[in-house]
Amino acid sequence: MYQRRQSFHCIREGVLAGFPIIIGYLPIAMTFGILAKTAGLSARDAFCFSAFVFAGSSQFMALSLLSIGSGAGEVILTTLLVNFRHFLMSASLATKLEKNIKRWIPFIAFGITDEAFSIVSFRQKDVTKEFILTVEIMGYISWVGGTLLGYLAGGILPPAVQESMGVAIYAMFVTLLIPEAKKSLKIGLLACLSGMVNAILNNVDILSQSWNLILSIVFSSAIGAYLFAEKEVHSYE
Amino acid sequence: MNNYIILILGMAAVTYIPRLAPFLMLSGKELPQSLRRFLSFIPCTALGALIIPGVFSSIPQSPHAAMLGFGFAVIYSWFRGGIIVPVLGSIVVAFLFSSL
């Protein structure tokens, strides 16, 4: 009985925590639906993209590569690179999940997006399967539903509203970051460092943006691990 | 034209495997301190790199609206915390500014 109350509680917290993801995904997913239709995909294919791949930037990338006539091999290879940052995120998360959730791992792993990862890894309390799966399912519904909505209904939101919603994801990222940065200066510094490295790499424009992102994360985390040895490691786990 | 399904399954596989593999490799293992520390910094460094420089082009039609909306979220969450209000507020601020 107690356990059931506990998991109900986690689901409720997951719904609250996942709400910003719904708002953040919706305009992007609708844009994907609209673009997929423009690119000549069937509704079924657009749906399958979002339902099976479930990774925003790589789906947009696929559309633009297809439109310039790239082959499937090239698109798949680029997808691997664009989404490889999730390897780092899953690795980070794997060390902090509660132990007895083995059989849920295949589902949890499927839903690791930038946004779900951010919300889950900054959670103060235990990361239970109920919490993480609720957050992920909400994101999934918003992403797949938004894709169909965009495909079938087109721009039902006024363009100005939909454009303005583009800032929502970034607002969500920063509201997750700020409480941590207030608690620990080094968190704030490392985040800034990583952003600056990424901005510089993008400006230099030698590698693709996906590489830049991965390099920024690896470089800044390594700097952090080197500079901030010992102490406070446990409080951040 | 009609063989998107193979493409989609290929993309799904190369997306899913990197998401899954670390859980299988790392769960329940004792990792060296330095690696643990490295992994523990990934949430904040990932957020930093996801925000910058992406936020500057988050509203391509009006970067200023994006900066104002984003600024609202920063200030609000710094002083009051929360997520839902600053996120919705950032949209409202950006919308108001761009429709001025």
Side-chain angles (χ1 to χ4, degrees), chain A residues 16 19-20 23 40-41 44-45 48-49 52-55 58-59 62 66 72 75-76 79-80 83-95 97 105-110 112-114 117-118 121-122 160-161 163-168 170-178 182 186-187 190-191 194-195 198-199 202 213 216-218 220-222 224-225 228-230 233-234 236-237, chain B residues 1-29 31 33-62 65-71 73-96 98-99:
Chain A
L16 281 176
F19 183 66
I23 300 174
L41 269 69
R44 185 201 66 185
D45 289 341
C48 287
F49 258 108
F52 293 132
V53 184
F54 189 40
S58 66
Q59 294 179 220
L66 289 173
V75 176
I76 292 172
T79 304
L80 174 65
N83 293 336
F84 199 73
R85 63 183 186 281
H86 296 137
F87 182 86
L88 295 170
M89 298 182 185
S90 287
S92 175
L93 206 56
T95 59
L97 287 184
I105 290 282
F107 302 99
I108 290 173
F110 180 77
I112 300 294
T113 58
D114 299 338
F117 166 75
S118 309
S121 45
F122 283 131
V161 174
E163 284 156 18
S164 305
M165 288 174 84
V167 78
Y170 297 94
M172 186 191 93
F173 284 147
V174 84
T175 56
L176 289 168
L177 187 57
I178 282 181
K182 277 173 77 172
K186 67 177 90 158
I187 297 297
L190 284 176
S194 182
N198 194 29
N202 276 339
L213 189 66
S216 307
I217 295 172
V218 170
S220 314
S221 303
F228 307 125
E230 78 227 303
V233 173
H234 288 283
Y236 192 59
E237 275 170 39
Chain B
M1 184 82 187
N2 223 335
N3 254 341
Y4 284 126
I5 290 301
I6 291 168
L7 171 70
I8 289 169
L9 291 180
M11 285 177 67
V14 298
T15 302
Y16 184 54
I17 291 167
R19 281 174 176 173
L20 178 66
F23 286 107
L24 304 181
M25 285 160 21
L26 301 181
S27 289
K29 290 235 171 71
L31 299 175
Q33 267 289 315
S34 52
L35 182 58
R36 292 185 70 89
R37 218 177 306 123
F38 172 81
L39 293 174
S40 77
F41 285 127
I42 286 180
C44 71
T45 56
L47 278 185
L50 285 168
I51 295 172
I52 303 172
V55 64
F56 300 115
S57 51
S58 62
I59 306 179
Q61 297 80 0
S62 176
M67 288 332 297
L68 278 177
F70 184 72
V74 170
I75 292 166
Y76 189 96
S77 75
W78 183 274
F79 290 106
R80 306 287 300 269
I83 294 183
I84 293 176
V85 176
V87 167
L88 289 178
S90 70
I91 299 173
V92 171
V93 169
F95 175 72
L96 289 179
S98 58
S99 54

Side-chain angles (χ1 to χ4, degrees), chain A residues 32-47 49 62-64 66-67 151, chain B residues 1-4:
Chain A
F32 177 76
I34 295 169
L35 287 181
K37 189 177 186 178
T38 318
L41 269 69
S42 67
R44 185 201 66 185
D45 289 341
F47 168 83
F49 258 108
L63 286 186
S64 61
L66 289 173
S67 73
Y151 191 97
Chain B
M1 184 82 187
N2 223 335
N3 254 341
Y4 284 126

